[in-house]
Amino acid sequence: MQEEKKMKVKKGWLAVQVGLEEEEGSERFVIPISYLYHPLFKGLLDKAREVYGYHTDGPLKLPCSVDDFVHLRWRIEKESTHHHHHHNHNHHRLPHAFYFHSC
């Protein structure tokens, strides 16, 4: 029986596998569960459902390049630190050029 290398994930966090099928590899990230409720991340989850369906083995797979995911994560972190007192929902929209070209 082959053992798979597993990362322990703290309570309140979620492991995700990021990468495109045409890319050689993918990367694993551990993100706060709060990301699941962010409008930018919800769009990526919808795309993952279209590509992979609801049932997958292992961590949640996200169909975008690692670079796009890192940028998305940066955007979410930036908004969470700078917009705690603002409730303008338009700031969640991606700039036209940023829509996940790879997703």
Side-chain angles (χ1 to χ4, degrees), residues 41-80:
F41 198 83
K42 281 183 178 181
L44 186 52
L45 288 175
D46 289 343
K47 188 65 179 176
R49 185 185 69 237
E50 288 174 23
V51 173
Y52 303 118
Y54 285 108
H55 304 287
T56 62
D57 293 329
L60 175 64
K61 294 179 185 176
L62 300 176
C64 68
S65 73
V66 171
D67 287 344
D68 282 348
F69 180 76
V70 169
H71 187 77
L72 174 75
R73 189 175 63 173
W74 174 81
R75 288 278 312 270
I76 292 171
E77 289 299 320
K78 183 178 175 190
E79 287 181 9
S80 69

Side-chain angles (χ1 to χ4, degrees), residues 78-88 91:
K78 183 178 175 190
E79 287 181 9
S80 69
T81 58
H82 290 96
H83 291 97
H84 279 297
H85 299 75
H86 297 79
H87 296 288
N88 177 1
H91 72 274

Side-chain angles (χ1 to χ4, degrees), residues 27-38:
E27 281 189 47
R28 186 174 170 143
F29 292 86
V30 178
I31 59 169
I33 287 178
S34 62
Y35 279 22
L36 298 175
Y37 305 103
H38 192 282

